[in-house]
Amino acid sequence: MARPSTSPKKRKASDRATSSPNKSSPSPKKSRTTSIRVEVSPNNPDYDPVVVSFPRGVPSSVLNDNSTNQSDPPRFTCTKLKASSSRGRRISGEDDNCTYTASATGRGHDGRLTKTYVCVYDKKKKTLKLVPSAEKGTVFALEQAVKSYTPNVAHGSMLVGGQTQGGDAAKVISASDRVQMLVESFGSKKKQKVMASKAANKVNVHSVVGAGDVMMQSVVKQEGISIENKKGMEEGSKMVNPNDVAYEQARKMMLPPYDIDADTPYKVYNAQAIAGTLAWDKTSRIVDKVLAKLSDGIESDWVTALLGKKGFRPSSLIDLLKSIDPTKKGSLFRIKVGFFLALALKFYSKIQRKGVVEGASLDDCISQLFIPHEVGARLFELFASPMNGNEEGGYVASRQQKNKMQCYILILYMIASGKTMKVSSIDQLCRDMKLDMREASLLLREAGFTVKKTGAGDMGVSLSVPLKFPPPKRGKKT
């Protein structure tokens, strides 16, 4: 759209009008500064003003709303918190509907960075007087309570409809019903829709034909319930002693995995579960290789081929392996358990002698023991912990881990002895382990074994089923 053209005379007149100053416009007023003297009053507990606050809202009687039914403002009294002390004050007040209370205990040494002062400005004297509030600048937060309010509650549930003529409650509202009422009164439309959808999805069991009878019969007969769930229901219905539970947890941390419901002694403890999958596979391959050479006539002394000619060769283990006939059925499993026991004893002798195995990594620690890597990793996992704070690194075994290792070795020795889980003497094994006989008997009894002295004076051990553990021992009274 074309802009309308103006004549040159009109443009000049307009330019003169805009360029000329506006003589009629008033000049800006000069700001005036007034000097004010500030006075700070010292603390005076008898005359300091009391400052209060209403955290739950200012009472309607204090507000100037010009309502016809406005009640009188609350009346307050200030008293000492204790008659024998000048510190501390109690503020109490009331009006027609509510009571208001607050207190301050007083401060012996006040190190607050902010305090409350009441400022009074005098226009005539041009002074601003700062007066500290009572109790060294404390603001009393008033607790509000409604007079003569008794909630309509019976047996912990809210009542609706008041009381009947006989004094009984008209209706008791449950927790879900209270939530429903709150949502219907104050909730959003979206929340109300959600609550309505929940109510619509509820299914009454009595509205389903035969459902109630089938449910009751299944509960009584316990049909379709797994054995684990039945056991959990039975245990949950019984009273459990917390001391027994704690003792059972400690036993599981100390002992290898066991089957409390085993029907034969050799099924109670599982050597493969103790060794782990990788370590057991490595042990099995080594034993199979040595026995294959024995069957081919390459090796005649398979015990020496397994344990080696030099190094750690405990007498108890040599006697145990020599008592096994490799050609008999079931001997292969015992030889594998015995060989894993030999590796565990080599690890135990190293830990018992020094207490630690130093090395920059786990591989370095295993290489010092001269045992297969898979077996060493399993033994370090069970019976040692990485050292913290040592720059060179390594693993250390605590006293509890050493006791656990001793218990595992004793159980492995019993498994390698045969399916009867019975040996006539463990004396030589304890001497090889440098383990006290009394401590070994305590460990075996905690694992469910029976320890008795034989006629020759040796310590005989056996295991029977059902498996029974000794009760917890009480400490002596001091």
Side-chain angles (χ1 to χ4, degrees):
M1 187 175 181
R3 186 178 179 179
S5 59
T6 56
S7 61
K9 293 182 179 181
K10 290 183 179 181
R11 282 201 300 269
K12 291 180 180 180
S14 61
D15 293 339
R16 286 195 300 270
T18 55
S19 60
S20 61
N22 189 3
K23 297 182 180 181
S24 61
S25 61
S27 60
K29 293 182 179 180
K30 295 182 179 181
S31 59
R32 295 180 181 181
T33 57
T34 304
S35 60
I36 298 175
R37 188 175 73 256
V38 178
E39 298 178 358
V40 179
S41 300
N43 291 326
N44 190 350
D46 296 332
Y47 297 98
D48 287 342
V50 178
V51 180
V52 300
S53 65
F54 296 89
R56 297 188 179 182
V58 181
S60 59
S61 57
V62 178
L63 299 176
N64 296 324
D65 53 359
N66 298 326
S67 60
T68 57
N69 296 328
Q70 184 176 4
S71 59
D72 296 333
R75 298 172 298 277
F76 291 94
T77 57
C78 181
T79 58
K80 291 183 178 181
L81 194 61
K82 293 182 180 180
S84 60
S85 176
S86 60
R87 296 178 183 173
R89 293 192 181 189
R90 184 188 302 277
I91 308 298
S92 59
E94 63 177 348
D95 55 11
D96 296 340
N97 300 320
C98 300
T99 59
Y100 310 90
T101 57
S103 63
T105 57
R107 298 171 181 266
H109 173 73
D110 194 354
R112 288 177 295 172
L113 300 178
T114 58
K115 300 179 182 179
T116 305
Y117 282 77
V118 178
C119 302
V120 181
Y121 177 60
D122 192 344
K123 290 184 178 181
K124 294 181 178 180
K125 296 181 179 181
K126 305 298 182 183
T127 58
L128 181 63
K129 190 175 184 180
L130 304 181
V131 184
S133 62
E135 293 299 322
K136 299 183 180 181
T138 301
V139 178
F140 292 83
L142 297 174
E143 289 289 337
Q144 182 178 353
V146 181
K147 289 183 178 180
S148 65
Y149 173 72
T150 55
N152 197 13
V153 176
H155 305 290
S157 299
M158 186 175 64
L159 305 179
V160 175
Q163 304 287 332
T164 60
Q165 294 180 356
D168 298 331
K171 184 180 179 182
V172 180
I173 295 183
S174 62
S176 60
D177 294 335
R178 290 200 296 269
V179 173
Q180 182 72 25
M181 292 175 62
L182 287 173
V183 172
E184 291 177 356
S185 302
F186 306 103
S188 61
K189 291 184 178 180
K190 183 178 180 181
K191 190 66 177 178
Q192 292 177 3
K193 289 182 180 179
V194 172
M195 295 297 294
S197 177
K198 288 182 178 180
N201 290 332
K202 289 183 180 179
V203 178
N204 188 359
V205 68
H206 298 290
S207 63
V208 180
V209 178
D213 298 336
V214 172
M215 182 180 296
M216 292 304 299
Q217 292 176 4
S218 62
V219 170
V220 173
K221 296 180 180 180
Q222 294 187 354
E223 295 178 352
I225 303 177
S226 61
I227 299 176
E228 291 78 7
N229 290 339
K230 287 182 180 179
K231 186 176 180 181
M233 292 170 63
E234 292 175 357
E235 292 178 354
S237 60
K238 299 178 181 178
M239 296 296 293
V240 179
N241 189 354
N243 295 330
D244 296 340
V245 174
Y247 196 72
E248 179 68 19
Q249 293 176 355
R251 182 187 293 115
K252 289 182 178 180
M253 294 178 62
M254 184 68 181
L255 300 179
Y258 55 86
D259 185 6
I260 195 71
D261 300 324
D263 54 354
T264 53
Y266 74 92
K267 291 183 179 180
V268 175
Y269 294 100
N270 189 352
Q272 297 185 25
I274 296 175
T277 304
L278 298 178
W280 183 259
D281 291 344
K282 184 64 176 179
T283 303
S284 300
R285 289 197 297 269
I286 295 174
V287 171
D288 293 340
K289 185 177 180 180
V290 171
L291 295 181
K293 292 181 179 180
L294 176 65
S295 60
D296 296 339
I298 301 175
E299 291 284 352
S300 59
D301 189 359
W302 61 273
V303 177
T304 304
L306 280 177
L307 302 182
K309 298 180 180 181
K310 298 180 181 180
F312 183 73
R313 290 168 55 89
S315 301
S316 59
L317 189 59
I318 294 176
D319 296 339
L320 174 64
L321 291 177
K322 286 184 176 180
S323 65
I324 302 174
D325 186 1
T327 60
K328 288 186 177 181
K329 184 179 180 181
S331 60
L332 180 60
F333 177 77
R334 293 178 59 192
I335 294 173
K336 292 179 180 179
V337 177
F339 180 59
F340 181 80
L341 175 61
L343 300 176
L345 284 170
K346 186 180 292 188
F347 177 85
Y348 172 76
S349 63
K350 179 74 172 179
I351 290 291
Q352 187 190 29
R353 185 170 62 253
K354 292 187 176 181
V356 297
V357 179
E358 296 180 352
S361 63
L362 179 61
D363 296 338
D364 295 339
C365 295
I366 295 174
S367 62
Q368 299 179 28
L369 303 175
F370 301 101
I371 59 178
H373 184 275
E374 295 82 357
V375 178
R378 176 60 175 173
L379 295 176
F380 275 108
E381 177 188 355
L382 290 174
F383 311 121
S385 302
M387 287 193 297
N388 297 325
N390 189 3
E391 296 180 357
E392 297 180 357
Y395 284 79
V396 62
S398 63
R399 183 178 179 181
Q400 290 78 7
Q401 289 173 329
K402 288 182 180 179
N403 292 337
K404 179 181 178 181
M405 194 187 326
Q406 293 167 354
C407 185
Y408 273 56
I409 290 175
L410 292 172
I411 293 175
L412 286 173
Y413 185 82
M414 296 297 299
I415 296 174
S417 299
K419 289 186 177 182
T420 59
M421 297 290 285
K422 183 178 180 179
V423 294
S424 59
S425 175
I426 59 169
D427 294 27
Q428 185 59 44
L429 175 63
C430 293
R431 286 193 289 268
D432 294 337
M433 296 175 61
K434 297 180 181 180
L435 179 62
D436 184 66
M437 294 293 298
R438 183 175 178 273
E439 187 175 355
S441 62
L442 290 176
L443 291 174
L444 287 169
R445 287 192 178 100
E446 290 295 332
F449 288 84
T450 302
V451 183
K452 293 182 180 180
K453 276 191 175 183
T454 61
D458 296 336
M459 194 73 69
V461 183
S462 62
L463 181 66
S464 59
V465 291
L467 183 63
K468 293 182 180 180
F469 295 107
K473 296 182 178 180
R474 304 291 182 183
K476 295 182 179 180
K477 295 183 178 180
T478 57

